[in-house]
C-alpha cells in the first residue's frame, strides 16, 4: 500500500467537539447534559451559517437587507439569516428559555419554560466585512436562568453580570472556521473540517501571551478619542508596536488571543459609552480573555463586574494581553487625576 495512504488511514482525525463536550461533562458528576446539548445546538447553527457565508457571493445574500437593527445600524442579509438560524436552533434545542440577540430589540421567549439556560448572542459580528470577503464571527454567552424552571423567562434572567456566565464562546468564519469556547475551566479551540462536518480539537488550553506588540483600534477616530487613549496610542507608536485592525472584533480578538496584543474600542467625544455591546459582545470576550490569562476592562472596572441595566447597553472596551491592558489602565488613571 502507498505509504502516504497508509499514513492517512493511520492518523486519527482527533477529538471532535461532541466527544470533547462529552468527556468534559463526565468530569461533572451532577451534569445532566443540558449545557452540553446547548453547545451542540450552537455548533450546529454555526455550521449552517458557515456554509451560507462561504457561498454568499453565489446566492445573492450579500449586501443590505434594507432594514435597520435596534441600534439603527444597516442590517446585512447575512445578519438576518444568521439571526434566524441561531434563534431557530436554540428554540428547537429546547435548553434555552430565553435569548437576547444584537439583531432583536426585545427578549425572545423561546417557549421552552423548562429550559435551564438563557443566551446572549451577536449572530454575525463584523458583517459589513462579508461583502469584501473579510473574516466575521458569532459571539455567544450562556447564563443559568434565575427565574423558576417551568415559568416564563424574565428580564432578570438576562440582565446578569458577566461573572455569572456558565459558558461563552465565538465562531470565527475566517481562512478556516473555528469555534473557541470556555466553561470556566480554560479555553479550547476547534477547527471545522467541512468534509466531515465536524469541529476537531486543534488548540488545547489556549493561553494569551501576557505581553504583546500588536495594538488594535480604529485610529481613524484618533481625534475623537479622549486624552488618555490618544496618549496610549502615542505610546504604542513610540514602542514601534504593530497596528492591526480588521473591523471584525472576533478576528482582531482571535489574533491577539494566540499572538498577544490589545484590542480596544474606547468611548469617543461623540459616543461617550463606546460602541460595543456589553451583553452580546464584550462579556463573552472578557470571559474568554480572563480564562486564557488576559484581561478586559471598560477603562475603570472589570468588564465582567458591570451590572447591566438594559439588553443593548454599550461599554468602552479594552481586552487582551494582561500587561498591555494594565498599561492602558495606567494612562487612564493618570489622565483622570490631571
Ligand atoms: P468601526 C463590527 O461592527 C463591530 O461591532 C466590531 O466587530 C468591530 O471591531 C467594530 O464594530 C468596528 O467598528 O467603528 O471601527 O467600524
Amino acid at each position: 500500500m502507498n505509504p502516504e495512504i497508509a499514513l492517512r488511514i493511520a492518523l486519527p482525525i482527533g477529538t471532535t467537539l461532541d466527544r470533547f463536550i462529552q468527556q468534559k461533562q463526565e468530569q461533572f458528576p451532577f451534569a445532566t447534559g443540558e449545557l452540553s446539548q446547548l453547545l451542540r445546538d450552537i455548533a450546529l447553527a454555526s455550521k449552517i451559517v458557515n456554509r451560507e457565508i462561504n457561498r454568499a457571493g453565489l446566492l445573492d445574500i450579500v449586501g443590505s437587507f434594507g432594514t435597520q437593527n435596534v441600534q439603527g445600524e444597516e442590517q446585512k442579509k447575512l445578519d438576518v439569516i444568521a439571526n434566524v438560524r441561531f434563534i431557530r436552533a436554540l428554540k428547537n434545542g429546547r435548553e434555552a428559555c430565553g435569548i437576547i440577540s444584537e439583531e432583536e430589540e426585545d427578549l425572545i421567549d423561546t417557549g421552552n419554560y423548562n429550559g435551564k439556560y438563557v443566551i446572549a448572542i451577536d449572530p454575525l459580528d463584523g458583517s459589513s466585512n462579508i461583502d469584501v470577503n473579510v473574516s466575521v464571527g458569532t459571539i455567544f454567552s450562556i447564563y443559568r436562568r434565575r427565574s423558576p424552571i417551568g415559568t416564563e423567562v424574565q428580564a432578570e434572567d438576562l440582565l446578569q453580570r458577566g461573572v455569572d456566565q456558565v459558558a461563552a464562546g465565538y465562531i470565527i468564519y475566517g481562512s478556516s472556521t473555528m469555534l473557541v469556547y470556555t466553561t470556566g475551566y480554560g479555553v479550547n479551540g476547534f477547527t471545522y473540517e467541512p468534509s466531515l462536518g465536524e469541529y476537531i480539537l486543534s488548540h488545547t488550553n489556549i493561553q494569551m501571551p501576557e505581553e504583546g506588540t500588536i495594538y488594535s483600534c480604529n485610529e481613524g477616530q484618533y481625534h475623537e478619542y479622549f486624552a488618555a487613549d490618544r496618549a496610549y496610542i502615542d505610546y504604542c507608536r513610540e514602542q514601534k508596536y504593530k497596528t492591526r485592525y480588521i473591523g471584525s472584533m472576533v478576528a482582531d480578538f482571535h489574533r491577539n488571543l494566540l499572538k498577544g496584543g490589545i484590542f480596544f474600542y474606547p468611548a469617543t467625544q461623540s459616543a461617550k459609552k463606546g460602541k460595543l455591546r456589553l451583553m452580546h459582545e464584550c462579556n463573552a470576550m472578557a470571559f474568554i480573555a480572563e480564562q486564557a490569562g488576559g484581561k478586559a476592562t471598560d477603562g475603570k472596572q472589570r468588564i465582567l463586574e458591570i451590572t447591566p441595566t438594559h439588553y443593548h447597553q454599550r461599554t468602552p472596551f479594552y481586552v487582551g494581553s494582561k500587561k498591555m491592558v494594565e498599561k492602558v489602565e495606567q494612562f487612564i488613571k493618570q489622565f483622570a487625576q490631571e
Side-chain angles (χ1 to χ4, degrees):
M1 175 185 290
N2 175 322
E4 190 183 321
I5 293 173
L7 187 61
R8 278 175 178 269
I9 291 171
L11 278 179
I13 62 164
T15 304
T16 64
L17 175 65
D18 272 8
R19 185 173 298 163
F20 184 88
I21 292 172
Q22 190 57 38
Q23 287 168 353
K24 293 300 177 187
Q25 179 185 315
E26 285 158 10
Q27 292 171 2
F28 297 92
F30 303 106
T32 50
E34 286 96 336
L35 179 59
S36 297
Q37 186 52 49
L38 202 40
L39 289 167
R40 289 189 192 95
D41 295 339
I42 291 170
L44 173 61
S46 75
K47 293 175 186 177
I48 299 168
V49 170
N50 177 64
R51 185 185 62 188
E52 282 159 345
I53 286 173
N54 289 342
R55 299 188 302 173
L58 301 172
L59 299 176
D60 185 27
I61 54 176
V62 294
S64 297
F65 191 70
T67 53
Q68 290 187 337
N69 63 18
V70 62
Q71 285 94 17
E73 294 165 336
E74 176 191 72
Q75 284 184 303
K76 298 289 186 181
K77 290 175 187 168
L78 276 165
D79 279 324
V80 175
I81 291 170
N83 190 47
V84 166
R85 292 291 186 200
F86 279 101
I87 290 171
R88 185 181 296 157
L90 291 166
K91 276 185 177 177
N92 296 341
R94 311 191 66 74
E95 306 306 343
C97 63
I99 306 167
I100 52 171
S101 165
E102 186 181 299
E103 300 302 327
E104 301 279 344
E105 180 158 5
D106 298 318
L107 164 61
I108 298 165
D109 178 340
T110 63
N112 299 325
Y113 291 171
N114 293 321
K116 288 183 181 173
Y117 298 99
V118 294
I119 313 283
I121 188 165
D122 182 356
L124 206 55
D125 179 66
S127 54
S128 58
N129 281 317
I130 284 214
D131 302 0
V132 293
N133 220 359
V134 170
S135 301
V136 292
T138 296
I139 306 170
F140 64 90
S141 290
I142 301 174
Y143 299 83
R144 206 170 276 104
R145 73 181 297 173
R146 284 183 168 162
S147 55
I149 289 182
T151 65
E152 203 172 330
V153 65
Q154 303 297 319
E156 61 169 4
D157 290 316
L158 277 298
L159 292 174
Q160 298 190 49
R161 296 186 310 161
V163 284
D164 293 323
Q165 292 172 92
V166 291
Y170 60 84
I171 296 96
I172 176 168
Y173 309 98
S175 51
S176 69
T177 293
M178 275 192 72
L179 186 150
V180 176
Y181 84 95
T182 182
T183 57
Y185 296 89
V187 179
N188 293 284
F190 300 79
T191 298
Y192 186 53
E193 171 48 80
S195 66
L196 298 175
E198 290 283 4
Y199 281 106
I200 310 290
L201 181 63
S202 53
H203 296 66
T204 306
N205 189 27
I206 300 172
Q207 291 298 307
M208 184 184 272
E210 199 176 46
E211 191 58 273
T213 59
I214 296 172
Y215 70 103
S216 185
C217 67
N218 182 344
E219 294 199 58
Q221 295 181 339
Y222 181 87
H223 296 296
E224 275 262 314
Y225 284 171
F226 291 101
D229 297 310
R230 292 200 306 274
Y232 179 65
I233 290 173
D234 296 343
Y235 168 81
C236 291
R237 291 168 176 170
E238 288 154 15
Q239 299 301 309
K240 297 189 174 15
Y241 289 170
K242 280 185 284 191
T243 179
R244 292 284 184 274
Y245 190 67
I246 299 170
S248 286
M249 180 195 15
V250 171
D252 282 314
F253 178 92
H254 186 70
R255 180 202 54 242
N256 295 343
L257 177 67
L258 300 181
K259 291 186 159 186
I262 185 170
F263 169 93
F264 53 106
Y265 205 107
T268 62
Q269 308 285 350
S270 56
K272 291 187 169 50
K273 292 189 183 300
K275 172 183 182 184
L276 300 179
R277 289 79 172 182
L278 173 66
M279 298 307 294
H280 305 101
E281 296 170 306
C282 300
N283 269 340
M285 304 314 253
F287 188 19
I288 293 165
E290 289 195 3
Q291 282 291 310
K295 195 167 184 182
T297 174
D298 66 356
K300 297 183 177 65
Q301 65 179 314
R302 193 176 166 218
I303 287 287
L304 297 182
E305 289 177 356
I306 297 174
T307 300
T309 52
H310 58 280
Y311 302 142
H312 291 277
Q313 81 182 59
R314 298 171 190 263
T315 177
F317 191 45
Y318 305 77
V319 63
S321 294
K322 188 168 182 291
K323 289 192 174 174
M324 297 183 86
V325 175
E326 288 170 349
K327 189 67 178 175
V328 70
E329 285 179 312
Q330 286 170 19
F331 277 93
I332 292 169
K333 195 170 181 181
Q334 173 193 331
F335 279 79
Q337 287 159 357
E338 290 183 0

mmCIF file of all heavy atoms in Angstrom, residues 220-226 265-275 314:
data_model
loop_
_atom_site.group_PDB
_atom_site.id
_atom_site.type_symbol
_atom_site.label_atom_id
_atom_site.label_comp_id
_atom_site.label_asym_id
_atom_site.label_seq_id
_atom_site.Cartn_x
_atom_site.Cartn_y
_atom_site.Cartn_z
ATOM 1 N N GLY A 220 -8.539 55.876 12.892
ATOM 2 C CA GLY A 220 -9.208 56.974 12.172
ATOM 3 C C GLY A 220 -10.005 57.844 13.129
ATOM 4 O O GLY A 220 -10.349 58.981 12.821
ATOM 5 N N GLN A 221 -10.274 57.289 14.348
ATOM 6 C CA GLN A 221 -11.034 58.072 15.342
ATOM 7 C C GLN A 221 -10.106 58.772 16.335
ATOM 8 O O GLN A 221 -10.563 59.328 17.332
ATOM 9 C CB GLN A 221 -11.984 57.130 16.094
ATOM 10 C CG GLN A 221 -13.064 56.508 15.209
ATOM 11 C CD GLN A 221 -13.992 55.597 15.998
ATOM 12 O OE1 GLN A 221 -13.629 55.121 17.074
ATOM 13 N NE2 GLN A 221 -15.184 55.347 15.471
ATOM 14 N N TYR A 222 -8.798 58.735 16.040
ATOM 15 C CA TYR A 222 -7.801 59.269 16.990
ATOM 16 C C TYR A 222 -8.226 60.622 17.565
ATOM 17 O O TYR A 222 -8.191 60.848 18.763
ATOM 18 C CB TYR A 222 -6.452 59.410 16.287
ATOM 19 C CG TYR A 222 -5.318 59.937 17.146
ATOM 20 C CD1 TYR A 222 -4.539 59.066 17.909
ATOM 21 C CD2 TYR A 222 -5.021 61.302 17.192
ATOM 22 C CE1 TYR A 222 -3.485 59.542 18.691
ATOM 23 C CE2 TYR A 222 -3.991 61.790 17.982
ATOM 24 C CZ TYR A 222 -3.228 60.919 18.725
ATOM 25 O OH TYR A 222 -2.212 61.398 19.521
ATOM 26 N N HIS A 223 -8.668 61.550 16.701
ATOM 27 C CA HIS A 223 -9.001 62.897 17.177
ATOM 28 C C HIS A 223 -10.331 62.943 17.902
ATOM 29 O O HIS A 223 -10.686 63.945 18.518
ATOM 30 C CB HIS A 223 -8.946 63.882 16.014
ATOM 31 C CG HIS A 223 -7.553 64.007 15.435
ATOM 32 N ND1 HIS A 223 -6.489 64.514 16.157
ATOM 33 C CD2 HIS A 223 -7.043 63.607 14.244
ATOM 34 C CE1 HIS A 223 -5.379 64.446 15.441
ATOM 35 N NE2 HIS A 223 -5.683 63.902 14.269
ATOM 36 N N GLU A 224 -11.081 61.820 17.846
ATOM 37 C CA GLU A 224 -12.329 61.715 18.612
ATOM 38 C C GLU A 224 -12.074 61.123 20.002
ATOM 39 O O GLU A 224 -12.916 61.196 20.888
ATOM 40 C CB GLU A 224 -13.278 60.748 17.857
ATOM 41 C CG GLU A 224 -14.097 61.383 16.754
ATOM 42 C CD GLU A 224 -15.499 61.720 17.257
ATOM 43 O OE1 GLU A 224 -16.123 60.859 17.906
ATOM 44 O OE2 GLU A 224 -15.926 62.853 17.071
ATOM 45 N N TYR A 225 -10.896 60.488 20.134
ATOM 46 C CA TYR A 225 -10.582 59.806 21.397
ATOM 47 C C TYR A 225 -10.294 60.808 22.504
ATOM 48 O O TYR A 225 -9.862 61.939 22.247
ATOM 49 C CB TYR A 225 -9.358 58.889 21.212
ATOM 50 C CG TYR A 225 -9.610 57.594 20.472
ATOM 51 C CD1 TYR A 225 -8.551 56.784 20.084
ATOM 52 C CD2 TYR A 225 -10.897 57.167 20.141
ATOM 53 C CE1 TYR A 225 -8.749 55.567 19.406
ATOM 54 C CE2 TYR A 225 -11.111 55.981 19.461
ATOM 55 C CZ TYR A 225 -10.046 55.199 19.090
ATOM 56 O OH TYR A 225 -10.250 54.028 18.412
ATOM 57 N N PHE A 226 -10.497 60.367 23.748
ATOM 58 C CA PHE A 226 -10.113 61.191 24.895
ATOM 59 C C PHE A 226 -8.599 61.112 25.106
ATOM 60 O O PHE A 226 -7.922 60.228 24.557
ATOM 61 C CB PHE A 226 -10.891 60.740 26.140
ATOM 62 C CG PHE A 226 -12.364 61.061 26.058
ATOM 63 C CD1 PHE A 226 -13.298 60.080 25.730
ATOM 64 C CD2 PHE A 226 -12.805 62.366 26.266
ATOM 65 C CE1 PHE A 226 -14.654 60.387 25.615
ATOM 66 C CE2 PHE A 226 -14.158 62.683 26.167
ATOM 67 C CZ PHE A 226 -15.083 61.679 25.834
ATOM 68 N N TYR A 265 -11.895 49.505 21.885
ATOM 69 C CA TYR A 265 -12.873 50.389 21.262
ATOM 70 C C TYR A 265 -13.368 51.315 22.363
ATOM 71 O O TYR A 265 -14.323 51.009 23.065
ATOM 72 C CB TYR A 265 -14.040 49.623 20.630
ATOM 73 C CG TYR A 265 -14.684 50.419 19.517
ATOM 74 C CD1 TYR A 265 -14.508 50.071 18.185
ATOM 75 C CD2 TYR A 265 -15.438 51.555 19.798
ATOM 76 C CE1 TYR A 265 -15.078 50.820 17.167
ATOM 77 C CE2 TYR A 265 -16.000 52.319 18.798
ATOM 78 C CZ TYR A 265 -15.815 51.955 17.471
ATOM 79 O OH TYR A 265 -16.367 52.713 16.464
ATOM 80 N N PRO A 266 -12.666 52.429 22.593
ATOM 81 C CA PRO A 266 -12.948 53.280 23.753
ATOM 82 C C PRO A 266 -14.145 54.189 23.532
ATOM 83 O O PRO A 266 -14.718 54.224 22.435
ATOM 84 C CB PRO A 266 -11.676 54.112 23.881
ATOM 85 C CG PRO A 266 -11.138 54.206 22.495
ATOM 86 C CD PRO A 266 -11.540 52.947 21.788
ATOM 87 N N ALA A 267 -14.508 54.901 24.580
ATOM 88 C CA ALA A 267 -15.511 55.962 24.422
ATOM 89 C C ALA A 267 -14.896 57.037 23.543
ATOM 90 O O ALA A 267 -13.675 57.181 23.474
ATOM 91 C CB ALA A 267 -15.858 56.542 25.784
ATOM 92 N N THR A 268 -15.724 57.760 22.800
ATOM 93 C CA THR A 268 -15.215 58.876 21.991
ATOM 94 C C THR A 268 -16.034 60.112 22.347
ATOM 95 O O THR A 268 -17.053 60.012 23.044
ATOM 96 C CB THR A 268 -15.364 58.590 20.478
ATOM 97 O OG1 THR A 268 -16.773 58.452 20.193
ATOM 98 C CG2 THR A 268 -14.640 57.311 20.089
ATOM 99 N N GLN A 269 -15.615 61.258 21.826
ATOM 100 C CA GLN A 269 -16.347 62.507 22.109
ATOM 101 C C GLN A 269 -17.812 62.369 21.679
ATOM 102 O O GLN A 269 -18.711 62.846 22.323
ATOM 103 C CB GLN A 269 -15.707 63.673 21.334
ATOM 104 C CG GLN A 269 -14.202 63.826 21.539
ATOM 105 C CD GLN A 269 -13.830 64.415 22.896
ATOM 106 O OE1 GLN A 269 -14.696 64.890 23.632
ATOM 107 N NE2 GLN A 269 -12.550 64.339 23.226
ATOM 108 N N SER A 270 -18.042 61.633 20.565
ATOM 109 C CA SER A 270 -19.434 61.553 20.068
ATOM 110 C C SER A 270 -20.161 60.314 20.575
ATOM 111 O O SER A 270 -21.380 60.237 20.498
ATOM 112 C CB SER A 270 -19.431 61.540 18.525
ATOM 113 O OG SER A 270 -18.621 60.465 18.073
ATOM 114 N N ALA A 271 -19.419 59.330 21.096
ATOM 115 C CA ALA A 271 -20.079 58.123 21.629
ATOM 116 C C ALA A 271 -19.472 57.840 22.997
ATOM 117 O O ALA A 271 -18.566 57.008 23.133
ATOM 118 C CB ALA A 271 -19.860 56.957 20.676
ATOM 119 N N LYS A 272 -19.979 58.518 23.998
ATOM 120 C CA LYS A 272 -19.332 58.515 25.310
ATOM 121 C C LYS A 272 -19.467 57.195 26.060
ATOM 122 O O LYS A 272 -18.818 56.963 27.076
ATOM 123 C CB LYS A 272 -19.830 59.683 26.161
ATOM 124 C CG LYS A 272 -19.351 61.055 25.619
ATOM 125 C CD LYS A 272 -19.683 62.202 26.529
ATOM 126 C CE LYS A 272 -18.970 63.501 26.116
ATOM 127 N NZ LYS A 272 -19.104 63.856 24.704
ATOM 128 N N LYS A 273 -20.338 56.286 25.527
ATOM 129 C CA LYS A 273 -20.435 54.961 26.152
ATOM 130 C C LYS A 273 -19.753 53.891 25.303
ATOM 131 O O LYS A 273 -19.849 52.707 25.551
ATOM 132 C CB LYS A 273 -21.916 54.590 26.377
ATOM 133 C CG LYS A 273 -22.608 55.453 27.443
ATOM 134 C CD LYS A 273 -23.979 54.885 27.772
ATOM 135 C CE LYS A 273 -24.731 55.758 28.762
ATOM 136 N NZ LYS A 273 -24.020 55.914 30.063
ATOM 137 N N GLY A 274 -19.083 54.358 24.226
ATOM 138 C CA GLY A 274 -18.426 53.398 23.326
ATOM 139 C C GLY A 274 -19.420 52.824 22.341
ATOM 140 O O GLY A 274 -20.578 53.250 22.277
ATOM 141 N N LYS A 275 -19.018 51.874 21.547
ATOM 142 C CA LYS A 275 -19.870 51.292 20.502
ATOM 143 C C LYS A 275 -20.279 49.865 20.822
ATOM 144 O O LYS A 275 -21.392 49.445 20.527
ATOM 145 C CB LYS A 275 -19.127 51.307 19.166
ATOM 146 C CG LYS A 275 -19.861 50.533 18.072
ATOM 147 C CD LYS A 275 -19.118 50.473 16.756
ATOM 148 C CE LYS A 275 -19.933 49.732 15.702
ATOM 149 N NZ LYS A 275 -19.183 49.579 14.423
ATOM 150 N N ARG A 314 -24.141 49.776 25.846
ATOM 151 C CA ARG A 314 -22.801 49.745 25.265
ATOM 152 C C ARG A 314 -21.774 50.007 26.359
ATOM 153 O O ARG A 314 -22.102 50.479 27.439
ATOM 154 C CB ARG A 314 -22.686 50.822 24.170
ATOM 155 C CG ARG A 314 -23.663 50.595 23.013
ATOM 156 C CD ARG A 314 -23.667 51.784 22.091
ATOM 157 N NE ARG A 314 -24.745 51.733 21.092
ATOM 158 C CZ ARG A 314 -24.586 51.300 19.850
ATOM 159 N NH1 ARG A 314 -23.402 50.853 19.456
ATOM 160 N NH2 ARG A 314 -25.580 51.295 18.990
#
